[in-house]
Amino acid sequence: MGWNQNTVTDMLGISYPIFQAPMAGGITTPELISETSNSGGLGNLGAGYMMPEEIKSAIKEIRELTDKPFGVNLFVPNKEITFSEEKRSEALNHLSGYKAELMLEDDIQLTDKNYHTLYEQQLEVVLSTKVPICSFTFGIPDENVIKDLKKQGTIVIGTATNVKEALELEAAGVDMIVAQGSEAGGHRGTFHEEASGLIGSMALIPQIADAVKLPVIAAGGIMDARGIVAAFILGAKGVQLGTAFLPCRESGAHPIYKEALLNSTEDTTTLTKAFSGKLARGINNRFIKETENSTDSILPYPIQNDLTGAIRKQAAKLKNKEFMSLWAGQGLRLANRTSVKGLMGELTEETSQIFHSNH
Ligand SMILES: Cc1cc2nc3c(=O)[nH]c(=O)nc-3n(C[C@H](O)[C@H](O)[C@H](O)COP(=O)(O)O)c2cc1C
């Protein structure tokens, strides 16, 4: 059996155990997803921030572009969010300080978005459209949710950043586990104490692979065939790449963001809560530095994310990367301007070459 035929490819009905990571925020366009799936990998829609109708129409578009399996990714909401009035006004003060510089017309304000309702509605779409694969991050979906999805044939994937989380996901009944190392770009999937989720992929993958019976998908810092082979040797049965797909032609990342990725190095990323209130890895910039310097003015996730939305949107419009969230992993120097087909071709051919030359 070759490296590309294993339990993961069998369970998902794909040709290569390579996932294009779900990346919320408009990056995972139907083109990015369908091209990945058409190339034999698994394209994933980052639907965490999307409205139910948007998810429905994205799924429809993906299905027009591919008849291969694809996944949808959702954020398990926090149980409860609390913060003091003092913290709230500090946060609003800090962010309002950018209003003039960024020429923002409206005041920075808290919204009354209900994230639990949104999640319920998102789940309804995933169920009614019978998506083949549904992955989750930031927590463990309820037992009933997992049961309902599995009953209709959807494969359920959870995200873990340490062994404890992986064991809990396994006990809850998911089918596969994404082991997300601290090199990873974007948010940590961590749902226990924050510091417990900062394990590098080299240490994390074998420890999770040893602890659970389920197939493990390695994520974090994998950019090319060398990373894929290393992950397999460490015990993974599949890989999930985010940063490598970001500069692809089909990705919805802003041109300024793509440019920043291609001009950055392994030492330019940092872990920050400044944009969203939840720890995430991205290219350091002025907004992160200034907000981190006044740590009392960061509200919990997803409130902080809501509050900084207008700033991020306006910064993108003004092409000002100092105020955009430039999520990226530590493998930055290995990122290339390419297409999904080009990237998938390179990853699969070179991985096969390495495996064949060693057997
Ligand atoms: C821009 C960006 C957005 C992301 N959004 C999500 C998301 O919505 N859901 C999720 O499970 N993971 C998300 N991630 C994390 C990826 O699933 C994956 O763990 C990570 O990209 C792997 O590390 P790498 O970037 O070094 O390849 C995101 C990553 C990036 C770079």
Side-chain angles (χ1 to χ4, degrees):
M1 219 155 83
W3 68 274
N4 59 319
Q5 289 166 317
N6 63 21
T7 41
V8 169
T9 53
D10 286 351
M11 283 170 79
L12 303 180
I14 57 176
S15 306
Y16 298 102
I18 300 176
F19 296 10
Q20 158 255 306
M23 291 180 275
I27 292 160
T28 53
T29 60
E31 290 75 22
L32 186 81
I33 297 160
S34 59
E35 280 292 291
T36 307
S37 293
N38 284 334
S39 304
L42 184 77
N44 284 291
L45 177 69
Y49 298 131
M50 290 168 80
M51 292 296 132
E53 319 80 62
E54 294 173 324
I55 302 178
K56 221 184 252 174
S57 78
I59 290 172
K60 187 163 170 276
E61 253 186 89
I62 296 164
R63 284 191 160 137
E64 280 162 11
L65 296 169
T66 187
D67 55 5
K68 300 276 193 290
F70 62 93
V72 171
N73 175 265
L74 299 179
F75 298 158
V76 179
N78 301 19
K79 289 275 178 284
E80 63 174 308
I81 308 156
T82 50
F83 49 88
S84 66
E85 179 56 34
E86 195 189 341
K87 233 179 148 166
R88 186 188 80 99
S89 64
E90 270 187 48
L92 286 174
N93 264 345
H94 171 70
L95 298 175
S96 302
Y98 295 116
K99 215 182 136 188
E101 181 177 350
L102 294 174
M103 296 176 284
L104 283 167
E105 278 171 20
D106 297 326
D107 283 337
I108 307 271
Q109 274 174 338
L110 290 177
T111 64
D112 53 5
K113 240 190 219 164
N114 186 322
Y115 287 90
H116 287 268
T117 310
L118 176 64
Y119 175 66
E120 301 285 323
Q121 293 169 340
Q122 291 172 332
L123 279 171
E124 263 171 45
V125 174
V126 171
L127 282 164
S128 67
T129 54
K130 295 192 173 3
V131 298
I133 294 119
C134 186
S135 64
F136 294 87
T137 189
F138 304 160
I140 307 176
D142 282 347
E143 226 170 89
N144 285 341
V145 169
I146 299 179
K147 261 194 208 132
D148 288 349
L149 286 168
K150 286 171 82 163
K151 212 189 300 163
Q152 67 165 32
T154 299
I155 301 276
V156 180
I157 305 180
T159 306
T161 57
N162 58 37
V163 170
K164 184 176 168 192
E165 291 173 350
L167 288 169
E168 286 179 12
L169 283 162
E170 182 171 60
V174 305
D175 297 299
M176 291 181 194
I177 290 171
V178 169
Q180 186 193 38
S182 62
E183 301 93 325
H187 289 97
R188 318 298 79 198
T190 311
F191 49 90
H192 285 305
E193 313 79 64
E194 239 155 41
S196 68
L198 296 176
I199 323 287
S201 295
M202 184 81 131
L204 182 71
I205 302 162
Q207 295 188 74
I208 290 190
D210 280 354
V212 300
K213 293 187 190 71
L214 298 175
V216 172
I217 313 297
I222 303 170
M223 300 293 290
D224 59 18
R226 293 169 296 182
I228 296 176
V229 173
F232 273 78
I233 290 174
L234 292 171
K237 293 277 192 297
V239 289
Q240 176 157 295
L241 285 66
T243 304
F245 279 92
L246 278 173
C248 282
R249 184 162 43 77
E250 298 88 344
S251 125
H254 192 291
I256 296 286
Y257 180 10
K258 290 187 183 179
E259 215 45 54
L261 290 162
L262 295 166
N263 292 317
S264 298
T265 51
E266 77 287 0
D267 52 349
T268 53
T269 72
T270 186
L271 284 164
T272 184
K273 287 191 190 177
F275 282 108
S276 67
K278 189 188 270 297
L279 215 52
R281 184 179 295 285
I283 299 170
N284 209 352
N285 61 11
R286 203 183 121 198
F287 180 78
I288 295 177
K289 283 179 210 152
E290 291 178 358
T291 306
E292 292 281 350
N293 277 341
S294 47
T295 40
D296 274 352
S297 55
I298 299 177
L299 292 184
Y301 174 88
I303 307 299
Q304 181 78 5
N305 195 60
D306 248 12
L307 280 184
T308 63
I311 290 178
R312 287 179 280 124
K313 206 163 150 199
Q314 179 75 349
K317 215 162 125 193
L318 300 173
K319 301 187 175 148
N320 183 347
K321 66 178 170 33
E322 293 304 319
F323 291 87
M324 289 163 68
S325 52
L326 308 168
W327 302 137
Q330 290 178 319
L332 268 179
R333 249 185 236 268
L334 304 171
N336 290 308
R337 195 190 302 276
T338 178
S339 64
V340 170
K341 226 179 232 140
L343 176 62
M344 283 295 294
E346 215 172 278
L347 295 174
T348 54
E349 279 160 35
E350 290 178 9
T351 303
S352 294
Q353 268 169 24
I354 300 176
F355 274 119
H356 289 146
S357 64
N358 285 310
H359 285 97

